[in-house]
Structures are given as C-alpha cells and as structure tokens.
Amino acid sequence: MRGRALLRILGLFCLWITAQAQMKIPPETVQQWAVVLSTQLRDLTTKYSGSLLLQKKLKDVESIIKVVDLDGGDLVKKFSDEIEQMLGSKRKSVKRLAESAEDADLYHDFNATMKFDYYNSMLINTADEDGNSVELGSEFPLEENEHFNKLLVNTLLSDIQIPTNVYNKDPNILNGIYNSEALNDVFIANFQKDPTLTWQFFGSSTGFFRIYPGIKWTPDSNGVAAFDCRNRNWYIQAATSPKDIIIMVDISGSMKGLKMTIAKHTINTILDTLGENDFVNVIAYTDYVRYVEPCFKGTLVQADLDNREHFKQLVDELHVKGEAKIKNAMKESFKILNEAKLSGRGSMCNQAIMLITDGAMEDFESVFEESNWPERRVRVFTYLIGREMTFAQNTKWIACNNKGYYTHISTLADVQENVMEYLHVLSRPMVINHDHDIIWTEAYMDSVLPSTKELFYTKAQSLLLMTTVAMPVFSKKKETLSHGILLGVVGTDVPLMEVMKLAPRYMLGAHGYAFLITNNGYILAHPDLRPLYQDGKKLKPKPNYNSVDLSEVEWEDTEEKLRTAMVRGETGFIRLSIRASVDKGKRPLYLVNDYFYTNIDETPFSFGMVLTKGHGSLIFIGNVSVEEGLHDLTSPDLSIATEWTYCETDIDPSHRKYSQLQAAIRYLLGQEPDLECDEVLLQQMLFDAVVTAPLEAYWNALMLTDRVEPGVEMAFLGTRAGLTRWMRYAGVETRVANKRRLTPPNRRFLTATDKDNLFTVDHFPLWYRLAVENPPGSFYYYPVNDRGLQYVIAVTAVTVSSKGKTAMAGAIGLQMSLDMLEKMFWAIAKQPSDTDCSAIEGVCPLSCESPDLNCFLVDNNGFVLLSKERSEVGRFFGEVDGSVMASLIKMGMFKKVSLFDYQAMCKGSHHHASSARRLLSPFYGVAALIRCFFSNVLMFLLDFDLCGLWHSDYLVDAKAGYHTSEFHVCVCVCVFYCDRGNVLTETLSDGQICLILCLCLVSQATSRRRWALCSRVTRRIPASCTTRL
C-alpha cells in the first residue's frame, strides 16, 4: 500500500503534516520548507508591492498630519440633520403640488361633454399604418437623462398613464386630466428649486396617473397596462389613516365553487390595501369561529408583507362546510377590536370589520346594540358575494347602520373596484377635516419604470430601494365639502442611495456603515440588506425584501436594545461585540462596534451609524497645497471612488457630464467654483495623491530596470479617501496599451464590474477590509477564482501615527499568478536528491511533486491556495478532505464559528396541482413526521444559538414527495459536520473552519421572523390619525 502525506501551510508561516504509519516525515524538514517559503513570499510581495516605501513615506509626513478621534455622537447628529434637511426639501415640493392640484379643482366646473387631447404615455410617438400619429399619441420629444438612470424622458412635460381597464375618454378622466395640467408648471419649478428630485406624480382617485418627467410607458408582454396608482402603497397610506381591520369570511356550504373563489380574491385584495401602520386578523366562520392562523388568536397583527402573504397562503387553503352563524363571529371581532383599543395595541386609530358573505339570515341586530351602538366607533363594510340578491337587504342594513359601505361582487372582475370603495369612506374624515398628513412609505423597489431591472446589475443591492413621500389632495369646493371627496394623491420618490450618501463612507472607515429603519423596525437601507436573490441567470427581488427587521440583520443584538431604542425614536449609543463576514460569507471578522442612533424629525425614520472600535474610530488629516496635489492627481494609474460624492454633480444639469475625478479637478482649478464639494474629502484625496505618488515611479523603475518575476501581475494600493493606484507588471507594449484603457486586461479585478474590490457607497474593497484586520506589514494571502481564471492576492495595511495615536492610512498589495506560486512551492517543498534514505521507511527523498504525496497550501480561513488539482484551488479544504479538517479542528488549529442568516432563500415547496388532499397520502404522513422532527431539533438548536453560516447565494433544494419547488424566505440553521463523504457546503472562520450540514426550513415554527409576528409589539405609533365617529 502506497504511503500518503498531507502538507499544510497555516497562514503561510507554519507547516503541518500527517502521514500513515509506514511513512515517517521529519518535522524539521517540513519546518524548513515553511521558513523558506514564507521568507521568499514575504520578500517577493514586499518588493513588488512597494509596501515598505509607502510606509516610509507615511512615516516621513507624520510631522504634518494629525490623528483625530471621531465623535460618534457629533457625527450622527450632523448626518441626521443633513438627511432631515434633504427629506424636508422633498416634503415641501409635495406640499406645493397638493396646493396646486386643489386650487385647479376649486376653479374648475365639471364638463360632461369635454373633449380634450392629452399625452397618453402608452401611445405617444406611435404612428398608424399611414405614418400619422394615433389618437392621443402625438409626438412627444424624449432624450436620455443621466439623472433619471439614463432613461428617455421629457423634462419639459409630464404625461398620463391609464390602466387598460379604465376608459381613457371617460368624462371623469378627461376633467381630471384637464385639471391636473396645472401641475406641469409646479413639476418644473420644483425640479429647478431642487435638482435632486426624481419622479414627481399625481395619482387620481379616478385611476389616471400623471408622471413627471414624461416617459414612454412600457406595457407588459400581453400589451396590458396593469399598473393602477390606486393600488400602490403610497396612495393607500396617504388616502387613509392607520386602521385596525378584522376580515370575516363566510365558509359555509353555500359558499362553494365560484363564490369561494371570489371571496378569497376579495380577502387578498383587502390585504393588499394594508400597510405596515395597519393591523389585521382574518376569521373564517360557519357554525363556529375559526382563526385562519391560530397563532394570532384573539389579537391583531401588523399588516406587514410577511403577515399579509402568510394570511393569503392560509386563506387559499380554506374549505367550505357547515351552516353560517354570523353572530358569534361578529362578537369575536368586536371583542378583538375593543381589547386592542383598551390595551393600547394596534393602530390606535380607525377600526373596521370587513364582512364577506353570500347572505346574513339570522338575527344579528343585538350584536351591534351590545358592541357598537350608539357610538358606532367600528365601521362595518359588507361584501355580498355571488349573483343572488336574496339577502342583499340584510347585508346593506349591516353596513349602513354601522357607518360602513355595502357592495355587491358577482364576478372576479368586480373585486378590485368594489374593494377600493372602503378607502374612500375611511378617507372622508381626513377630507372633511382637511388634514394633509404627509406619509413616508417603507422601502420598495420600483419595477414599473422601464429599464429599472438593469440597475440590479449596476448598483449595490442594499441601495436599490427607494421611499416615497406623499400627500392627499382634497376637493375644497363648498358644495361638496361635506361629502369628503378625495381627488387623489401627489408624491415624489426618494432614492435611498442619495440619502445614504449624506453619511460619507470615508468618515466611517473600513468596517463602519450607516443605516436607516422605519418606525416599525424595518430596514430602509443597510449594507447587509440583500433584497435580491439569484434564480437561474436572473436576479429577482425576494418576497419579503422590504420587511426585513433590524434584528434580523443586527442579530448579535440579542436583547433587541438597539432596535427598541431606534423604534421609539430615541437618541443614544450602544456597544456590541459582533461576528461579521466578508468575501460572500467565507471569511469572518470579530469586531467591537459602537452604534450611534437618533430619529429623523418630521419622518417616521431613525438613523443609525456604526464605528468599529480601534482603527475605525480614528481618522488622520493631512495637508498639502492644491498645486502639489493636482500634479499627482492627474496620473494615469490613479482613480477615485466613482460612487462617492467628492463634488455634487447632480445639482446643476451642466455638471452631470463630469465624472467625480473630473469635477474635483475642475473645482480645485477654479474652473467650476459653483460646484458643492466635500472640502475635507478633497483635501485628504490631495494628500493621498502626493504621498502615494512615489509608488508610481517605484513600480515603473521595477519595470524598466529589473527583470520582473514571471507571474507577478499587478501592484495596487487604496486609501481611506477612496483613491486607488495600480501598476500592471507586463511588457512595455502591453503596459502602454493598458494605460490608455486605465483597466487591467483579462481579469475583472479592480475593473468597474468587480464591485467587491472597489470603493462603493456601501463598502470598502474586500482586500482593504481584510488587510486592516491583520497586523500592518504582515501580508494576508487569499485565492481568487474569477470565472475560472485563478490567481492569488497578497495585501497588507499601512498606518500613520501622531502623538501616540495610530490610524489606518490604507492598504497595498500584489496580484500573483497561480503558476508562479506553484513553481515556487514545488521548488521548495522537496528534499535534495542526495538525501540519506537508508534509514527511512516509505518515500525518500520527499517531494511534493511526487505522486505519493498530496501537498496543499491553505489560507487562514481554510481555503486552498495551491493544490496539484487546479479544481481544488479556492475551495474549502474540508470539502477536499473532511477527515483531515476534522483532525485540524480537534488539534485546535481551526475552530468553529456560528452565524445566523435570516435573509436566506431556499427552494421550498407548494402543493401539486392534483385535487387529492395530501393528508390522505401515507407518504405525506411520513414526510410530515420527518419535517416535524427536524423542526423540533432546529427549534432546540435556535434556543441555544447553535447555528452555522448560510449565504443567500447558496440554495438548498428541500425535496418532498408530490411537491414542486419554489423559492421561499427561510432561516437556515447550520450544524457543523466533518466527514469527507457527506459534504454539503462550506463555511468560514477566523482560523476556524469546519464543514456544515445545513437544514433550511420554510416552517414558521423555526423562524425568528414568525416568533416576532406572534410576540413583538414594540413600535412607534405614527403621529397622524384622523377619524370621525
């Protein structure tokens, strides 16, 4: 039997080797190989990176710099004030729109025979077969605009979008469009006052949607314009105050067939009209009362996306049976609403019951006498389902005697319009009282506008979202004032990326960040928010992307002290020891973070900011002349963070053509004095340009005077000010060509598509973050598998000191080919051919090139840097040989690290199309028992915080008989497992690695999200509530 040995270099500075009994490998031999390899690697990376030169230059300027402690309290106030000012500007723009729309209606007399041509966004620039413009499709100039994501727009005019199911020449539509023409001038004036405004719009209660700037609206694949502004969250929230809703649905035998289908669709439509500030429950009744979700028995739950979708799933499973007894269900509904009001739970505002039935036959008047009269504080809305009108009088009586609204729904097509009527009833108190409450929506991803999905691939995922500020528009005509007529809602979108730019990355450091949450604890913006998932080759929004709770991202805040304080709108500070990860979850970081937080006045939002204890709370400030800095800033090997705001180029349209570097240079030269620039950042950028300039000469000298080691591909550096320099070590001709392109060829590393390794709005480069967590001067090595192209990165941090304080100045590194590393390693890892082998059993002399030995070079986190099998490079070592990995863990060379991920996506399941009930299948019964067993096991693991790492890019396919796969949000609980034959995935550690067995369950019983739905009540109640009894 042939001997087998394994060689491992831990952190590249020590060797470990095992062998079977018949092979004896001298430890001193392995130690010698380690010393030689580490020395050669250190010399190589130090020489070609220029790290010693950069550290020396920083040492030379220590007399003219100062290291400053960052005051988190002052910073969070400064940033929040700027955010408040920005959002306040948007709020004023919306108020001007509302005033203009109301005035236009006040002086307009309705014309039933009006004929009026307008720009229909679906039809503009459309010609018939003869080349003539179609009706409502006149020529509408469009041009690409950088400010509006390079879409084709018209900034001089707005245009109109009308849903396909709304007649575009209805007199009400035409009169409304004619009135809203007055908004054109206000749109333009707003945009001139605040050039950072994006889309402005007016959504009419009749269904049309006026949008500025005007665009060409793209229908769906069937040519249908399904978008109806009245169904959007911003419209619904602005049109009504917060509300508590009990949905009562009749599931008696008479509701079978189409009636039940219509009833379910009606429930889903009602649920779609609710938002985070509303509370809801769903009761199904026959001759007894049944909560569709037993977990929510006797209470109200927040109508967030998770709960609404959960209710929809349960409603879909309802079956008809028995005889309808409305009395007990109505009593239960009034009881829930009354207890919520008395205990201070729920919305503390409007309350309503939605009754969905095909008839009310029993005596029900006594229920209302006992529970709702004479105050009638709970409105009752009734929906009569089906074509029969036998009990129409009864259901109408219930609504009319309880300040509600009665409607008859006979087909699925009737549902949408009839459900929306209740919103107009609830909005009447606001209209009559003329309460112009301004609302801010939760974060959302606008997938309606053309080309929006292209942004998925070009922007940071966490900053793709936006919020909308909106305000209701009322009729002020005296003759209709008592009727409470809602004309519509005006609003504007606010991209969250623009908001978060007001907390600049350079001030927060390599691991610091800023974030925003709503009054309900849901995230608006956070660098760890992952709203998208990969489905095949497509990126798609996750089902719950805008209802991710802060506690699910900042999961180390186990007592939810941070979340509770922020939800309450408090100002304060908290320190947490956290486990973070980088490189798509492969590499952990153990950090101590200081969290500073405060509320944003006049909004339901709270702002938080994180500074990492140590280097993250220090910043150095250098000083050089503009002339000196400009000279070095124009080097061809230099770039700055394109997503950072050195100068605000979006205010003046004439400045939008400039890149950040161009704008900064023109401002410093005095050519664009009107630019608004960050003076501190510009000064630091100039200083960094001067200090790092000698590296360009150094790298060029190596190119021209020294024979560059084959395989040394690129030197690079980055500074806290977002400045990057690089040099491609190649032939002179190749180098000159690359300088013209300003990007290294053949690889994505440091190119515009390599977001992980660039300075972006929400993170520093990966190599920078890894470097600053290791001792300065000590290189950190890690493998990269770039779409099949493999290479190695070596990087180290550089520092600057002043008056006993040391701050991180940047990171510098080297890119090396795998071929070069292999050549170096194989040359070192062998015994001389004249080695005395007389007393040696097994292979002698030893050589890693020998087929009898398997040798590996492994990085600090257990990923293979070098192996004979190229396919193993970049893979987790435990995946290559789990038994050896287990031994390493037992020896203490690695250890486990456990992380939670509450944003994971799994392939779950739904019922097969078969009409057979699944519980009748014996196989399903077995599967249910197994699933129950694992649920209990995982509940136990969660209780004791035994959870491994999961990442959204890894998708577990949960298989079960008679089911088909779908993606679902789930919590992945991962149990470490070390066996070569049972490898499922890989995980990370800080010198701590093991394989993990991941069990991902969609089951609500295992989810922290679902626990929160049943138990968490902490939230800040919105200040605005208008109700009239």
Side-chain angles (χ1 to χ4, degrees):
M1 182 177 180
R2 297 199 311 178
R4 184 175 183 273
L6 290 164
L7 169 68
R8 176 181 180 274
I9 300 184
L10 174 61
L12 305 177
F13 293 103
C14 67
L15 281 170
W16 178 87
I17 192 165
T18 62
Q20 295 183 3
Q22 62 267 42
M23 179 177 289
K24 304 295 183 181
I25 300 180
E28 59 273 14
T29 299
V30 179
Q31 183 178 9
Q32 180 184 0
W33 292 352
V35 170
V36 174
L37 179 61
S38 62
T39 301
Q40 289 189 13
L41 270 178
R42 183 178 63 248
D43 292 346
L44 181 96
T45 50
T46 301
K47 175 181 177 179
Y48 289 107
S49 68
S51 61
L52 293 181
L53 173 62
L54 180 56
Q55 189 62 71
K56 179 180 182 302
K57 292 299 178 183
L58 289 167
K59 182 73 174 176
D60 293 342
V61 298
E62 286 183 350
S63 60
I64 61 172
I65 64 100
K66 58 180 179 179
V67 177
V68 179
D69 287 292
L70 292 172
D71 188 318
D74 289 345
L75 277 181
V76 80
K77 184 180 187 307
K78 175 178 181 291
F79 295 156
S80 63
D81 286 348
E82 291 177 357
I83 293 172
E84 185 180 319
Q85 182 179 354
M86 175 198 183
L87 298 182
S89 172
K90 316 303 179 194
R91 190 170 57 246
K92 291 175 183 176
S93 296
V94 170
K95 283 184 177 179
R96 287 191 287 268
L97 290 172
E99 291 169 0
S100 176
E102 290 181 352
D103 288 343
D105 175 74
L106 179 62
Y107 300 109
H108 173 74
D109 293 324
F110 184 83
N111 182 354
T113 60
M114 173 177 282
K115 292 184 179 180
F116 175 66
D117 287 336
Y118 57 91
Y119 291 109
N120 186 308
S121 61
M122 286 272 287
L123 301 174
I124 55 172
N125 302 330
T126 303
D128 58 21
E129 295 177 356
D130 298 325
N132 300 317
S133 296
V134 299
E135 191 175 15
L136 303 180
S138 302
E139 184 178 349
F140 191 76
L142 297 170
E143 60 181 21
E144 186 178 289
N145 191 299
E146 182 77 24
H147 180 66
F148 293 95
N149 296 321
K150 297 184 178 181
L151 296 177
L152 296 175
V153 300
N154 185 326
T155 55
L156 299 178
L157 289 169
S158 60
D159 59 3
I160 304 295
Q161 183 271 343
I162 300 179
T164 300
N165 64 338
V166 175
Y167 178 45
N168 61 20
K169 285 195 172 183
D170 181 276
N172 290 312
I173 293 288
L174 291 177
N175 278 267
I177 293 174
Y178 180 82
N179 273 350
S180 65
E181 285 286 304
L183 293 177
N184 264 320
D185 292 339
V186 186
F187 285 144
I188 296 170
N190 279 344
F191 193 40
Q192 289 173 344
K193 284 188 178 74
D194 182 3
T196 64
L197 278 172
T198 56
W199 308 101
Q200 302 175 70
F201 43 82
F202 169 64
S204 168
S205 60
T206 58
F208 74 82
F209 181 62
R210 181 178 288 277
I211 184 169
Y212 173 88
I215 60 169
K216 174 73 173 177
W217 199 274
T218 305
D220 62 22
S221 57
N222 298 316
V224 175
F227 174 82
D228 189 329
C229 62
R230 296 169 296 179
N231 297 336
R232 304 295 282 185
N233 246 1
W234 52 264
Y235 185 98
I236 294 167
Q237 289 183 38
T240 63
S241 294
K243 49 199 172 289
D244 299 334
I245 300 291
I246 299 291
I247 302 174
M248 287 175 47
V249 57
D250 180 354
I251 58 169
S252 63
S254 63
M255 288 285 289
K256 66 181 178 180
L258 180 60
K259 286 184 181 180
M260 197 62 208
T261 302
I262 295 173
K264 290 178 179 180
H265 186 38
T266 302
I267 296 173
N268 291 343
T269 305
I270 294 172
L271 289 171
D272 286 338
T273 65
L274 305 180
E276 292 177 359
N277 292 320
D278 303 318
F279 284 73
V280 68
N281 207 336
V282 181
I283 291 176
Y285 72 91
T286 53
D287 49 357
Y288 66 94
V289 177
R290 170 190 168 190
Y291 286 86
V292 297
E293 171 53 85
C295 174
F296 301 155
K297 182 178 181 179
T299 188
L300 292 166
V301 294
Q302 198 169 2
D304 58 25
L305 183 62
D306 275 349
N307 279 336
R308 297 199 306 266
E309 293 302 315
H310 184 59
F311 275 130
K312 288 179 183 180
Q313 292 176 11
L314 296 173
V315 165
D316 188 53
E317 297 174 0
L318 290 176
H319 299 283
V320 298
K321 61 179 179 179
E323 181 183 353
K325 298 290 184 181
I326 190 175
K327 199 170 182 178
N328 290 336
M330 194 65 74
K331 281 184 178 180
E332 184 72 10
S333 298
F334 279 119
K335 179 182 176 183
I336 294 171
L337 294 174
N338 186 53
E339 289 180 353
K341 185 176 181 66
L342 293 176
S343 62
R345 292 183 287 112
S347 69
M348 297 300 293
C349 197
N350 292 295
Q351 292 189 325
I353 295 171
M354 308 299 201
L355 174 60
I356 302 169
T357 181
D358 64 346
M361 294 175 287
E362 62 182 311
D363 177 24
F364 42 73
E365 185 174 340
S366 61
V367 178
F368 302 114
E369 290 176 346
E370 177 185 339
S371 305
N372 204 36
W373 295 350
E375 294 88 354
R376 291 176 170 82
R377 59 180 180 78
V378 178
R379 297 180 186 269
V380 181
F381 296 86
T382 57
Y383 301 88
L384 183 64
I385 305 298
R387 299 186 181 277
E388 297 177 11
M389 300 290 290
T390 307
F391 302 102
Q393 195 60 38
N394 288 353
T395 52
K396 185 181 295 186
W397 183 93
I398 291 173
C400 294
N401 284 276
N402 290 279
K403 290 185 177 291
Y405 189 88
Y406 158 80
T407 186
H408 178 218
I409 303 177
S410 58
T411 68
L412 287 170
D414 297 335
V415 172
Q416 184 70 45
E417 288 293 329
N418 284 301
V419 165
M420 297 302 292
E421 289 296 336
Y422 96 87
L423 293 175
H424 296 293
V425 175
L426 290 183
S427 70
R428 284 174 190 162
M430 296 176 60
V431 180
I432 294 170
N433 295 335
H434 230 64
D435 292 329
H436 284 85
D437 296 327
I438 289 182
I439 65 96
W440 295 84
T441 68
E442 71 276 14
Y444 70 96
M445 195 173 297
D446 196 341
S447 58
V448 174
L449 295 174
S451 303
T452 304
K453 292 182 180 179
E454 293 178 10
L455 299 179
F456 290 2
Y457 298 92
T458 59
K459 302 293 183 183
Q461 275 199 27
S462 59
L463 296 173
L464 280 169
L465 309 179
M466 63 179 68
T467 182
T468 294
V469 54
M471 179 185 287
V473 178
F474 309 132
S475 173
K476 297 194 296 185
K477 293 178 178 178
K478 291 182 180 180
E479 60 270 24
T480 60
L481 189 60
S482 62
H483 298 168
I485 297 176
L486 175 73
L487 299 175
V489 173
V490 291
T492 184
D493 292 335
V494 183
L496 291 169
M497 177 179 285
E498 299 305 316
V499 178
M500 300 313 292
K501 282 182 177 179
L502 297 177
R505 286 291 311 148
Y506 77 95
M507 292 297 295
L508 305 177
H511 301 306
Y513 53 90
F515 58 96
L516 275 174
I517 69 168
T518 69
N519 59 303
N520 295 297
Y522 295 136
I523 290 173
L524 283 167
H526 193 293
D528 291 332
L529 177 66
R530 302 193 307 273
L532 304 177
Y533 73 99
Q534 191 88 31
D535 185 6
K537 294 183 178 180
K538 295 181 179 180
L539 283 174
K540 296 181 178 179
K542 294 178 181 177
N544 70 320
Y545 74 89
N546 62 353
S547 62
V548 177
D549 196 271
L550 180 65
S551 62
E552 296 166 5
V553 174
E554 300 291 349
W555 53 271
E556 295 277 19
D557 179 26
T558 53
E559 298 179 7
E560 296 194 3
K561 292 181 179 179
L562 173 66
R563 180 193 184 277
T564 301
M566 293 187 71
V567 163
R568 290 174 176 170
E570 298 173 359
T571 296
F573 155 82
I574 188 173
R575 174 170 290 175
L576 294 173
S577 297
I578 67 148
R579 290 161 285 177
S581 65
V582 295
D583 197 10
K584 297 181 179 178
K586 292 180 179 179
R587 306 175 189 281
L589 301 172
Y590 287 81
L591 307 172
V592 177
N593 282 348
D594 291 334
Y595 292 80
F596 302 87
Y597 51 87
T598 189
N599 70 306
I600 307 295
D601 289 340
E602 303 294 327
T603 75
F605 306 148
S606 289
F607 172 74
M609 184 193 78
V610 174
L611 295 177
T612 302
K613 185 182 177 184
H615 62 76
S617 59
L618 296 171
I619 188 172
F620 81 92
I621 300 174
N623 189 25
V624 296
S625 68
V626 173
E627 293 77 14
E628 185 181 7
L630 277 173
H631 175 269
D632 294 319
L633 199 60
T634 55
S635 300
D637 71 332
L638 180 146
S639 68
I640 60 175
T642 57
E643 292 186 10
W644 291 12
T645 304
Y646 296 81
C647 293
E648 184 56 74
T649 59
D650 209 27
I651 296 177
D652 187 337
S654 65
H655 294 153
R656 290 174 186 155
K657 61 187 176 185
Y658 300 133
S659 68
Q660 283 295 315
L661 183 57
Q662 290 170 336
I665 291 174
R666 292 183 68 84
Y667 174 77
L668 292 169
L669 289 173
Q671 296 173 348
E672 296 286 355
D674 295 334
L675 275 167
E676 295 183 14
C677 298
D678 187 327
E679 299 287 351
V680 175
L681 181 56
L682 286 187
Q683 180 58 45
Q684 197 59 46
M685 176 187 68
L686 291 174
F687 180 84
D688 290 348
V690 172
V691 172
T692 60
L695 270 296
E696 181 182 9
Y698 175 82
W699 291 334
N700 274 303
L702 286 177
M703 282 286 300
L704 298 173
T705 63
D706 190 25
R707 182 179 177 276
V708 176
E709 191 77 28
V712 176
E713 298 183 339
M714 185 198 305
F716 59 90
L717 64 85
T719 70
R720 184 163 179 161
L723 180 145
T724 305
R725 288 185 186 269
W726 67 86
M727 166 65 72
R728 174 73 176 178
Y729 284 120
V732 175
E733 299 81 3
T734 305
R735 178 172 146 264
V736 171
N738 293 338
K739 289 290 185 182
R740 295 193 188 104
R741 292 186 300 176
L742 296 181
T743 57
N746 304 325
R747 303 188 193 277
R748 292 174 62 248
F749 185 63
L750 294 185
T751 66
T753 59
D754 185 20
K755 293 292 184 182
D756 288 341
N757 287 300
L758 298 178
F759 291 92
T760 67
V761 176
D762 65 346
H763 65 72
F764 274 58
L766 169 62
W767 46 269
Y768 193 108
R769 287 177 285 167
L770 290 172
V772 299
E773 290 306 311
N774 285 274
S778 175
F779 279 85
Y780 184 95
Y781 300 81
Y782 65 95
V784 177
N785 194 328
D786 183 6
R787 299 177 183 179
L789 200 60
Q790 297 169 325
Y791 51 91
V792 176
I793 299 296
V795 66
T796 189
V798 289
T799 59
V800 62
S801 300
S802 176
K803 296 182 180 180
K805 298 178 181 178
T806 300
M808 286 292 168
I812 187 168
L814 194 68
Q815 177 185 352
M816 302 176 289
S817 73
L818 197 58
D819 290 334
M820 186 207 72
L821 192 61
E822 282 182 347
K823 183 178 179 182
M824 180 187 297
F825 184 64
W826 302 140
I828 293 169
K830 63 171 62 176
Q831 291 179 320
S833 56
D834 58 355
T835 300
D836 183 7
C837 299
S838 57
I840 302 295
E841 293 183 26
V843 179
C844 185
L846 292 174
S847 172
C848 278
E849 292 182 292
S850 168
D852 298 301
L853 293 179
N854 284 332
C855 302
F856 298 91
L857 199 61
V858 183
D859 72 13
N860 296 42
N861 296 112
F863 292 92
V864 177
L865 270 169
L866 192 147
S867 170
K868 289 178 182 177
E869 297 294 332
R870 280 290 182 97
S871 61
E872 295 174 345
V873 173
R875 292 171 63 190
F876 173 53
F877 183 54
E879 187 179 357
V880 175
D881 198 315
S883 59
V884 175
M885 194 76 245
S887 299
L888 294 175
I889 293 170
K890 185 176 290 188
M891 294 171 61
M893 299 187 72
F894 287 101
K895 62 179 181 180
K896 299 181 293 186
V897 59
S898 301
L899 300 177
F900 289 91
D901 187 353
Y902 292 99
Q903 298 180 70
M905 289 296 293
C906 303
K907 278 190 176 181
S909 58
H910 61 80
H911 307 318
H912 193 271
S914 170
S915 59
R917 293 189 62 184
R918 60 182 182 177
L919 289 176
L920 299 180
S921 167
F923 297 103
Y924 180 83
V926 173
L929 288 173
I930 295 173
R931 190 160 56 249
C932 178
F933 169 76
F934 278 116
S935 295
N936 283 285
V937 170
L938 293 179
M939 284 281 286
F940 171 81
L941 294 172
L942 277 172
D943 284 339
F944 288 91
D945 275 354
L946 295 175
C947 179
L949 176 69
W950 185 254
H951 188 269
S952 64
D953 292 340
Y954 304 140
L955 300 170
V956 174
D957 186 3
K959 298 179 180 178
Y962 308 109
H963 283 58
T964 56
S965 294
E966 266 185 355
F967 285 109
H968 298 279
V969 178
C970 62
V971 179
C972 287
V973 184
C974 303
V975 185
F976 286 92
Y977 193 80
C978 295
D979 183 86
R980 186 176 183 183
N982 294 279
V983 175
L984 292 185
T985 186
E986 61 190 83
T987 187
L988 59 86
S989 73
D990 186 9
Q992 316 159 21
I993 298 290
C994 185
L995 296 185
I996 54 177
L997 170 65
C998 286
L999 301 176
C1000 299
L1001 298 186
V1002 183
S1003 167
Q1004 62 193 40
T1006 65
S1007 173
R1008 182 176 180 175
R1009 300 183 66 84
R1010 190 60 55 199
W1011 291 343
L1013 300 180
C1014 293
S1015 61
R1016 178 182 292 139
V1017 295
T1018 305
R1019 63 185 291 272
R1020 187 162 81 247
I1021 303 296
S1024 60
C1025 173
T1026 305
T1027 181
R1028 187 185 65 149
L1029 301 179

